[in-house]
Structure formats: structure tokens, C-alpha cells
Amino acid sequence: RLVVSMADVEAKAKEAARKQYWLPLESNPEVLNEFAAKIGAEPTFAFHDVFGLDPELLAMVPQPVVAVTLLFPSDEMRPAKEAQLRALEEKGYAPDLSVFFMRQYVGNACGTIAAVHALGNNPFVVGSGSPLAAFLAENAQASPAERGASLASAEFVRAATSQSAQQGQTATPGLGDEVNHHFITFVSKDGRCLELDGTKPYPIDHGPVEGDDLLTAAAGVIKREFIDKVPDGTFNVMALATNMD
């Protein structure tokens, strides 16, 4: 029996990613909601703008919030994120791999992966019998590397990404164009606020979610770990929450 190591899976996926790019999804609710609908999300939940991180602005977001996405300037944040990983490794960080987490092996697919992370960790948002439900079931026991490789070859995800990306409010970049912003997702797992970033090797635990209030927990992390590090950067936050329409 042929035995394929995780290192082999990741190496092959990374090599494929050097040749594969998808159109980037714009960070606005209309685009992410169209993408989510195309792959099988239920209409009971939707992505909403978060207009600020102060309590009065967070209070404007419908509840419950089941995931939070963040778009941040990748080049400016890179030193801080690299230092974060070094610190975690030095203290022997043991990540929670029971969360649905995948690696990113397609260029400019961070928005796609952020949306799949948001939906995939909230299965009640995913329609039974949908393409996404089938993908999640097929990859339930897979490693993050295997899930990333599976997503890279998932034609229904690529097609939905391409169609939704062209509905944005700004000009759609070309395939392979460099994009200096990166999408990640925060979800709650067993009362912990987890950061899911497909370019990182594992989920990052940012501490407890008090009172099931993921939005407030994620807002604190975004302020402390992102905005405070790059105060002049451009950030965008959305929440996957009850659809009020």
C-alpha cells in the first residue's frame, strides 16, 4: 500500500498553488453572501458589515454572531504575525485541531477560505445536500493540508469564487495579480476564540469567549493583535450573523 506523508501532500499542494490563482473575493457582504449562497449556505444567516469596534457600533450587528472575518494589510502585518508564530512555537503551543481548518494552496483565495472557515465551523448554516455539505463531510477527518489540497481542486468552489468576485464594487484584479490584503476568520470553539488563517500551520487560540459573545472577543483580538500593530493600516471586519432581511 502506498503511504503518502503529510509533508508530501503539503509539498505537492504548494507546488500546484504556484501555478493556480483564483479571483480574489472583495471584502463586502454582498460578495460574500452571493458566494455563500452559491456553495450551499442557508439564507437564515448572512455576512454583515461591522462599522467599528467600539461597543456602540458592535451593538448594531445582529446576534448571534457565529463567525467574524478580518481583512488586513498583509505586508505591513507580516513581521508581527511571524513574531507571533515564533513565540507560540517557543512556548510549545498545542493547537486545537478539532476545529475545521484548512491550509491555503491557491493564490488570492484567502477570501474564499475565510468564508468556508466561517461556514464550515457552523454546520447549521450549511444546507443539507449542498455542495459545501458534501465537501465538509468528505473532508471531516482530513488533515488541514489535505483539506487545502481538496479545496484547490474543488471546481464548485472555484466557479462560485469567480462568479462572485466579479460582483464587487471595485475593479476585479486579474488572475495572478498581487493583492496586498489578507482575509482571516475568527470562530468560537469550546468557548475559545480561534483565529483561522490558511497561510498559517494551525489555528491560533486567543483566549476565552465570555458569555458566548464572539463578536466582542474577536473585536478585542483585532484591536490588540492587528490595529495596534499597524495603526495606519486599512482593515475591514464582517460578521456572519442572523439574516435580518
Side-chain angles (χ1 to χ4, degrees):
R1 187 168 66 91
L2 179 64
V3 177
V4 180
S5 71
M6 290 303 98
D8 289 337
V9 171
E10 188 152 351
K12 290 178 180 178
K14 285 182 176 179
E15 178 61 29
R18 294 190 184 101
K19 305 172 184 177
Q20 184 177 7
Y21 284 84
W22 292 353
L23 292 176
L25 292 179
E26 185 176 296
S27 183
N28 77 58
E30 290 78 14
V31 170
L32 257 63
N33 286 329
E34 178 172 332
F35 169 76
K38 286 181 182 298
I39 63 174
E42 294 282 6
T44 50
F45 277 73
F47 289 94
H48 304 263
D49 278 317
V50 178
F51 294 108
L53 301 180
D54 294 331
E56 61 271 20
L57 294 174
L58 295 180
M60 297 171 60
V61 180
Q63 289 287 347
V65 170
V66 297
V68 175
T69 66
L70 170 67
L71 185 77
F72 63 86
S74 47
D75 287 350
E76 291 87 339
M77 279 298 306
R78 186 167 290 112
K81 299 302 286 180
E82 290 174 348
Q84 179 190 50
L85 282 181
R86 287 195 300 270
L88 290 172
E89 290 166 4
E90 287 170 2
K91 72 176 185 179
Y93 173 67
D96 180 355
L97 295 179
S98 66
V99 69
F100 189 87
F101 173 71
M102 68 179 67
R103 300 299 307 276
Q104 179 180 339
Y105 297 132
V106 177
N108 291 345
C110 58
T112 299
I113 289 175
V116 173
H117 275 151
L119 299 169
N121 283 288
N122 295 287
F124 53 87
V125 179
V126 180
S128 61
S130 68
L132 180 57
F135 175 85
L136 295 173
E138 290 165 5
N139 289 278
Q141 303 304 317
S143 70
E146 290 169 326
R147 290 169 183 160
S150 180
L151 186 86
S153 62
E155 174 58 22
F156 81 95
V157 181
R158 186 210 62 77
T161 297
S162 179
Q163 294 162 11
S164 302
Q166 298 179 58
Q167 305 305 313
Q169 298 173 357
T170 59
T172 305
L175 286 172
D177 284 359
E178 184 174 346
V179 178
N180 182 32
H181 278 84
H182 186 58
F183 252 120
I184 62 173
T185 298
F186 297 91
V187 299
S188 179
K189 174 70 173 177
D190 296 329
R192 309 291 294 182
C193 181
L194 299 183
E195 174 189 334
L196 307 180
D197 179 346
T199 66
K200 300 297 183 289
Y202 39 69
I204 297 174
D205 188 329
H206 287 287
V209 175
E210 302 291 349
D212 292 329
D213 188 353
L214 173 63
L215 182 59
T216 296
V221 174
I222 292 167
K223 288 179 181 177
R224 181 176 68 252
E225 300 291 340
F226 293 86
I227 296 175
D228 287 354
K229 298 287 195 302
V230 185
D232 295 328
T234 301
F235 299 85
N236 180 273
V237 180
M238 290 184 290
L240 179 61
T242 299
N243 189 352
M244 303 301 290
D245 292 341

